[in-house]
mmCIF file of all heavy atoms in Angstrom:
data_model
loop_
_atom_site.group_PDB
_atom_site.id
_atom_site.type_symbol
_atom_site.label_atom_id
_atom_site.label_comp_id
_atom_site.label_asym_id
_atom_site.label_seq_id
_atom_site.Cartn_x
_atom_site.Cartn_y
_atom_site.Cartn_z
ATOM 1 N N GLU I 16 -49.582 125.187 234.525
ATOM 2 C CA GLU I 16 -48.166 125.388 234.630
ATOM 3 C C GLU I 16 -47.633 125.661 233.200
ATOM 4 O O GLU I 16 -46.607 126.335 232.959
ATOM 5 C CB GLU I 16 -47.507 124.176 235.176
ATOM 6 C CG GLU I 16 -47.750 123.873 236.663
ATOM 7 C CD GLU I 16 -47.125 125.137 237.401
ATOM 8 O OE1 GLU I 16 -46.056 125.456 237.131
ATOM 9 O OE2 GLU I 16 -47.808 125.524 238.353
ATOM 10 N N GLN I 17 -48.225 125.041 232.083
ATOM 11 C CA GLN I 17 -47.754 125.298 230.704
ATOM 12 C C GLN I 17 -48.025 126.763 230.440
ATOM 13 O O GLN I 17 -47.172 127.388 229.772
ATOM 14 C CB GLN I 17 -48.424 124.423 229.774
ATOM 15 C CG GLN I 17 -47.994 124.507 228.425
ATOM 16 C CD GLN I 17 -46.515 124.267 228.104
ATOM 17 O OE1 GLN I 17 -45.924 123.515 228.794
ATOM 18 N NE2 GLN I 17 -45.866 124.953 227.148
ATOM 19 N N LEU I 18 -49.243 127.243 230.804
ATOM 20 C CA LEU I 18 -49.550 128.575 230.576
ATOM 21 C C LEU I 18 -48.562 129.639 231.238
ATOM 22 O O LEU I 18 -48.083 130.461 230.739
ATOM 23 C CB LEU I 18 -50.869 128.933 230.933
ATOM 24 C CG LEU I 18 -51.430 130.331 230.747
ATOM 25 C CD1 LEU I 18 -51.450 130.779 229.305
ATOM 26 C CD2 LEU I 18 -52.800 130.579 231.369
ATOM 27 N N LYS I 19 -48.177 129.228 232.481
ATOM 28 C CA LYS I 19 -47.245 129.981 233.236
ATOM 29 C C LYS I 19 -45.899 129.974 232.581
ATOM 30 O O LYS I 19 -45.234 131.061 232.440
ATOM 31 C CB LYS I 19 -47.145 129.470 234.691
ATOM 32 C CG LYS I 19 -46.165 130.205 235.616
ATOM 33 C CD LYS I 19 -46.258 129.532 236.987
ATOM 34 C CE LYS I 19 -45.176 130.255 237.882
ATOM 35 N NZ LYS I 19 -45.251 129.718 239.288
ATOM 36 N N LYS I 20 -45.560 128.890 232.088
ATOM 37 C CA LYS I 20 -44.230 128.713 231.419
ATOM 38 C C LYS I 20 -44.092 129.593 230.191
ATOM 39 O O LYS I 20 -43.199 130.380 229.989
ATOM 40 C CB LYS I 20 -43.946 127.249 231.065
ATOM 41 C CG LYS I 20 -42.478 127.073 230.333
ATOM 42 C CD LYS I 20 -42.314 125.541 230.074
ATOM 43 C CE LYS I 20 -41.046 125.452 229.363
ATOM 44 N NZ LYS I 20 -40.836 123.997 228.968
ATOM 45 N N GLU I 21 -45.250 129.530 229.379
ATOM 46 C CA GLU I 21 -45.385 130.231 228.080
ATOM 47 C C GLU I 21 -45.281 131.746 228.440
ATOM 48 O O GLU I 21 -44.644 132.608 227.648
ATOM 49 C CB GLU I 21 -46.494 129.869 227.399
ATOM 50 C CG GLU I 21 -46.374 128.428 226.754
ATOM 51 C CD GLU I 21 -47.766 128.054 226.132
ATOM 52 O OE1 GLU I 21 -48.641 128.772 226.027
ATOM 53 O OE2 GLU I 21 -47.816 126.882 225.589
ATOM 54 N N TRP I 22 -46.053 132.339 229.433
ATOM 55 C CA TRP I 22 -45.969 133.639 229.798
ATOM 56 C C TRP I 22 -44.740 134.158 230.221
ATOM 57 O O TRP I 22 -44.317 135.220 229.739
ATOM 58 C CB TRP I 22 -47.120 133.836 230.903
ATOM 59 C CG TRP I 22 -47.328 135.240 231.248
ATOM 60 C CD1 TRP I 22 -48.061 136.215 230.617
ATOM 61 C CD2 TRP I 22 -46.806 135.980 232.364
ATOM 62 N NE1 TRP I 22 -48.096 137.419 231.283
ATOM 63 C CE2 TRP I 22 -47.206 137.314 232.383
ATOM 64 C CE3 TRP I 22 -45.941 135.568 233.421
ATOM 65 C CZ2 TRP I 22 -46.899 138.203 233.337
ATOM 66 C CZ3 TRP I 22 -45.572 136.476 234.417
ATOM 67 C CH2 TRP I 22 -46.101 137.736 234.400
ATOM 68 N N LEU I 23 -44.072 133.415 231.084
ATOM 69 C CA LEU I 23 -42.669 133.815 231.510
ATOM 70 C C LEU I 23 -41.665 133.899 230.308
ATOM 71 O O LEU I 23 -40.861 134.827 230.305
ATOM 72 C CB LEU I 23 -42.226 132.863 232.644
ATOM 73 C CG LEU I 23 -42.900 133.027 233.944
ATOM 74 C CD1 LEU I 23 -42.444 131.912 234.946
ATOM 75 C CD2 LEU I 23 -42.686 134.387 234.596
ATOM 76 N N GLU I 24 -41.826 132.910 229.445
ATOM 77 C CA GLU I 24 -40.834 132.971 228.295
ATOM 78 C C GLU I 24 -41.187 134.083 227.360
ATOM 79 O O GLU I 24 -40.281 134.611 226.854
ATOM 80 C CB GLU I 24 -41.108 131.554 227.529
ATOM 81 C CG GLU I 24 -40.518 130.373 228.240
ATOM 82 C CD GLU I 24 -40.698 129.120 227.371
ATOM 83 O OE1 GLU I 24 -41.501 129.097 226.517
ATOM 84 O OE2 GLU I 24 -40.218 128.117 227.825
ATOM 85 N N SER I 25 -42.434 134.520 227.202
ATOM 86 C CA SER I 25 -42.800 135.546 226.315
ATOM 87 C C SER I 25 -42.382 136.910 226.879
ATOM 88 O O SER I 25 -42.009 137.759 225.981
ATOM 89 C CB SER I 25 -44.402 135.554 226.161
ATOM 90 O OG SER I 25 -44.919 135.996 227.344
ATOM 91 N N VAL I 26 -42.203 137.138 228.089
ATOM 92 C CA VAL I 26 -41.839 138.460 228.678
ATOM 93 C C VAL I 26 -40.481 138.410 229.204
ATOM 94 O O VAL I 26 -39.833 139.515 229.441
ATOM 95 C CB VAL I 26 -42.852 138.886 229.797
ATOM 96 C CG1 VAL I 26 -44.288 138.984 229.281
ATOM 97 C CG2 VAL I 26 -42.700 138.044 230.913
ATOM 98 N N GLY I 27 -39.900 137.124 229.425
ATOM 99 C CA GLY I 27 -38.573 137.199 230.052
ATOM 100 C C GLY I 27 -38.708 137.078 231.511
ATOM 101 O O GLY I 27 -39.356 138.019 232.081
ATOM 102 N N THR I 28 -38.132 136.033 232.168
ATOM 103 C CA THR I 28 -38.347 135.869 233.602
ATOM 104 C C THR I 28 -37.903 137.234 234.356
ATOM 105 O O THR I 28 -38.602 137.597 235.324
ATOM 106 C CB THR I 28 -37.508 134.661 234.128
ATOM 107 O OG1 THR I 28 -37.949 133.518 233.257
ATOM 108 C CG2 THR I 28 -37.744 134.412 235.585
ATOM 109 N N GLU I 29 -36.743 137.803 233.940
ATOM 110 C CA GLU I 29 -36.262 138.862 234.602
ATOM 111 C C GLU I 29 -37.148 140.197 234.419
ATOM 112 O O GLU I 29 -37.036 141.208 235.233
ATOM 113 C CB GLU I 29 -34.745 139.229 234.246
ATOM 114 C CG GLU I 29 -34.670 139.696 232.769
ATOM 115 C CD GLU I 29 -34.743 138.633 231.751
ATOM 116 O OE1 GLU I 29 -34.948 137.419 232.124
ATOM 117 O OE2 GLU I 29 -34.526 138.917 230.631
ATOM 118 N N ASP I 30 -38.092 140.171 233.436
ATOM 119 C CA ASP I 30 -38.905 141.283 233.081
ATOM 120 C C ASP I 30 -40.287 141.085 233.641
ATOM 121 O O ASP I 30 -41.002 142.116 233.544
ATOM 122 C CB ASP I 30 -38.852 141.509 231.634
ATOM 123 C CG ASP I 30 -37.600 141.823 230.996
ATOM 124 O OD1 ASP I 30 -36.827 142.611 231.763
ATOM 125 O OD2 ASP I 30 -37.277 141.418 229.840
ATOM 126 N N ALA I 31 -40.652 140.038 234.068
ATOM 127 C CA ALA I 31 -41.919 139.808 234.621
ATOM 128 C C ALA I 31 -42.200 140.553 235.864
ATOM 129 O O ALA I 31 -41.584 140.384 236.952
ATOM 130 C CB ALA I 31 -42.310 138.386 234.869
ATOM 131 N N PRO I 35 -47.914 135.184 237.471
ATOM 132 C CA PRO I 35 -49.066 134.770 236.605
ATOM 133 C C PRO I 35 -50.094 134.155 237.492
ATOM 134 O O PRO I 35 -51.320 134.252 237.185
ATOM 135 C CB PRO I 35 -48.494 133.704 235.699
ATOM 136 C CG PRO I 35 -47.109 133.343 236.171
ATOM 137 C CD PRO I 35 -46.547 134.524 236.935
#
Side-chain angles (χ1 to χ4, degrees):
E16 287 301 318
Q17 181 60 31
L18 179 61
K19 179 177 180 178
K20 179 181 178 182
E21 292 175 359
W22 183 80
L23 289 173
E24 288 177 350
S25 69
V26 301
T28 304
E29 69 281 0
D30 296 324

